[in-house]
Amino acid sequence: MKRLVHWMIAAVLTVSAGMAGIAGAAEILLGPGDVVKASVYGSPDLAVETRVSEGGSMTFPLLGEVQVGGLTTQQAEKKIGNLLEKGGYLKKAQVNLLITTLASQQVSVLGQVNRPGRYPVDGPRKVLDLLALAGGIGPEGGDMVSLVRTRNGVTTRETIDVVEMVRKGELNRDYEVAGGDIIFVERAPRAYITGEVQRPGPFRLERAMTVQQALSAGGGLTQRGTQRGLRITRRDASGAQHTIDAKADDLVQVDDVITVKESWF
């Protein structure tokens, strides 16, 4: 079941990656740091490549500083064209703007993904879209994804259970992202097994994992190992350690240490 859900997530991310390249440039809002290439039909001397300033303006021949921050490329084209016509420079100004570097609208994708980094948000995008651009969740990644975003000066943190969301087909629970957001994929929870098993050490803790399944994750018992007298060392809410007897069908918790004893017979 776990492999099936992971396959479903990979399929969804593949589709999202394909959709991520479809957004129209008209949806992009210009902002500080963006680099744009501007041209005017029939007037090659007005062509320019420039960066949008921190104040949201770009330098354009004959016009000087033009405020374009917060405008779409189409709106900026229309504004510049109107200014050229009103200034008497051209009777009919057909302006074209092309964003060559989208710096203002980027989302950071961090943690357990295959290609962590900053990715441009060139239109409406959701968390799954950005995970797809980052190459998907890495082998050490867990089911939980955190989204940190700031809206109207207030920073919030949302936690998304991507496995549960995909398993139930509830993609409407996916969050839309914007420039400046941070997506962080948590490391998968772990537990530990020691003693008479083939592969002692940490293992990935799956949902509703039993002690018996943990023994399998440890490669099974050695020739000297026994399932009698299994013990779990576990921390309580206060952080204090306790050692308890364990049965094969007991559920394993995060950071549990399972000890497998040697058989005396």
Side-chain angles (χ1 to χ4, degrees):
M1 176 60 74
K2 188 73 173 182
R3 289 184 178 179
L4 175 61
V5 173
H6 281 171
W7 179 87
M8 292 169 60
I9 293 175
V12 171
L13 293 181
T14 300
V15 173
S16 296
M19 295 299 293
I22 299 178
E27 298 171 334
I28 303 171
L29 298 182
L30 294 168
D34 293 345
V35 178
V36 295
K37 183 180 290 185
S39 61
V40 181
Y41 179 75
S43 301
D45 55 320
L46 296 181
V48 66
E49 186 168 11
T50 184
R51 185 181 300 273
V52 179
S53 71
E54 288 298 320
S57 64
M58 62 174 283
T59 302
F60 196 88
L62 302 177
L63 300 178
E65 298 294 317
V66 179
Q67 195 71 24
V68 295
L71 301 180
T72 65
T73 52
Q74 287 186 350
Q75 291 170 334
E77 289 169 350
K78 185 175 181 180
K79 181 175 183 177
I80 293 171
N82 289 338
L83 291 173
L84 289 171
E85 293 171 8
K86 290 180 180 179
Y89 302 111
L90 295 171
K91 289 185 178 180
K92 183 65 176 179
Q94 185 175 337
V95 180
N96 179 263
L97 287 183
L98 175 65
I99 300 177
T100 58
T101 301
L102 185 61
S104 64
Q105 300 295 318
Q106 292 192 339
V107 171
S108 297
V109 186
L110 307 173
Q112 300 299 321
V113 291
N114 288 309
R115 295 193 299 272
R118 287 168 56 83
Y119 292 88
V121 184
D122 52 352
R125 290 286 176 267
K126 293 190 175 183
V127 170
L128 286 182
D129 295 328
L130 270 296
L131 289 177
L133 291 175
I137 298 174
E140 296 297 319
D143 303 339
M144 310 305 293
V145 175
S146 296
L147 171 63
V148 180
R149 53 185 181 170
T150 301
R151 302 289 187 273
N152 301 318
V154 178
T155 300
T156 60
R157 178 180 179 271
E158 308 290 347
T159 301
I160 306 167
D161 187 334
V162 291
V163 167
E164 190 72 9
M165 182 173 66
V166 174
R167 176 185 287 149
K168 293 184 176 180
E170 298 176 343
L171 299 184
N172 59 317
R173 291 166 52 192
D174 199 1
Y175 285 89
E176 191 163 312
V177 298
D181 288 355
I182 299 172
I183 296 172
F184 185 83
V185 178
E186 305 283 351
R187 186 185 185 92
R190 293 184 172 229
Y192 304 84
I193 191 165
T194 187
E196 296 300 327
V197 289
Q198 301 288 345
R199 294 192 300 272
F203 61 89
R204 182 188 179 108
L205 181 61
E206 307 291 358
R207 298 183 186 217
M209 194 174 197
T210 65
V211 170
Q212 183 65 56
Q213 291 169 326
L215 292 175
S216 296
L221 302 178
T222 66
Q223 291 183 349
R224 296 178 299 180
T226 176
Q227 290 196 31
R228 295 191 298 272
L230 291 172
R231 309 296 296 275
I232 292 178
T233 301
R234 177 178 294 164
R235 292 187 181 275
D236 60 20
S238 66
Q241 282 191 343
H242 301 277
T243 300
I244 58 177
D245 295 326
K247 299 187 295 295
D249 58 353
D250 285 346
L251 295 180
V252 184
Q253 298 183 16
V254 177
D255 292 332
D256 276 358
V257 179
I258 302 170
T259 302
V260 180
K261 292 185 176 182
E262 181 180 357
S263 174
W264 293 100
F265 303 98

